[in-house]
Amino acid sequence: MPNNNNSVTTGLVAAGAFCAGSLLTAAFYQKQTTAPKKALLFPATEGASSSSPATPSIKYPEYDYEKDPQGSFLKVCEMLISELVTHELPLKYDLPPKETQWIKEMLDYNVKGGKMNRGMMVVDAGVAIFKQQNQGRSPSNTDLCQLAVLGWSIEWLQAWLLVADDIMDSSVTRRGQACWYKKLEHIWYIAINDAVTMEALVFKIMKKHLGQHSHYIQLVDLMQETTLQTEMGQLSDTLCDVLELKDLTPARWQWIVQYKTSYYSFYLSVAFAMTFFQIDNAQAYNAARDILVIMGIYFQAQDDYLDCFATSEQLGKVGTDIADKKCGWLFTKAYHELANPQQVAFLDQHYGKCKVGSEEEEQIKQLYRDLKLPQIYQEYEQSSYTKIMEMKNSAQHGAVLEQAGVPWEVFQLFLEKVYKRSK
């Protein structure tokens, strides 16, 4: 017969050992989680020889968010360009002076001059989120400048996409000046390399300024994912050149603009700010995406409308959608939903086959007016605004975002920037 006292003793010893082991394990993991985070290293791409000068410490400009948000945002761009052309490229990559000067002039010409809504919205969203999380306190100067770096990452993404887009569309002007490839004249093809160079520089500035951020990998993943989504939308848009007009449907238009416009022009700005302030709630990102995709689709319909009916002085460019056979909101509405057989035949004969400023182009614009598309657009604009605002009180959207620390103010700010714009 076994000795019960021995069994009890053995059990107590085993239990004690187990508890001690558990406590030691817990202490080990507690130490692991509370220990300072090690610096993230990039040994495979450091690339600096022992004789190379040390990378200078980052000195951010003063960011006056309250009194001069636009001027402060522009200062960060100047800082980024200066870092690249005074240290990064000539010293770390041995880039010769002529090439370095080319990069500076190319960046100055292409990344500035826009409305900067996408980039500044990262800062606006970040400030609103931080205040929500911190009882109304304002973020630090470093936080503001790093949010602005993320904002300029989007603006530089926008810049290289426009350089490439202008070549593919044979555009003439952009932001009130000659398209970059047009400015280069007989060496226009260098603009193709400039576009992909700007894309590479986006990741360079992100690494320099956010490489040690706790969510750096998520920030880079977000930029890479959004870039791919945008390029897929651009592919679908470009393939319209070889499709028949009957294939340019409202459904195709919506898919194109969701991928080509909504993700990088709207969702990325807010998702960057959420990620920067370490929001990890997937439902909150889903809610933000739902709202911002609708906003982006509305924005592109607005862009299509303005391309046709706004003046070149308003737009800062010459509208070319009719001549370029674009799968646009006006065309898809007219061709598939509103036009009679005679009007469809006229579009078949001239849409995408006339020149900018030609009589045929003006006749197509008049056809749109005859179909009351300007009035239909106004109704669509109002319904889009109403639909977005209704999501504020939705349990799946506004409530989820509020709980995650993202106030509705973020979306209200974005909507106010684009609602009923005229340029």
Side-chain angles (χ1 to χ4, degrees), residues 36-60:
K37 180 188 172 186
K38 290 183 178 179
L40 196 59
L41 302 177
F42 305 94
T45 57
E46 286 300 324
S49 67
S50 58
S51 61
S52 296
T55 301
S57 59
I58 298 171
K59 295 181 180 179
Y60 288 117

Side-chain angles (χ1 to χ4, degrees), residues 15 43 66 76 86 100 166 207 248 286 341-342 345 363 367:
E66 297 298 332
V76 173
T86 61
T100 301
D166 287 341
K207 180 180 176 183
L248 309 187
N286 291 339
Q342 291 77 22
Q363 287 174 326
L367 186 153

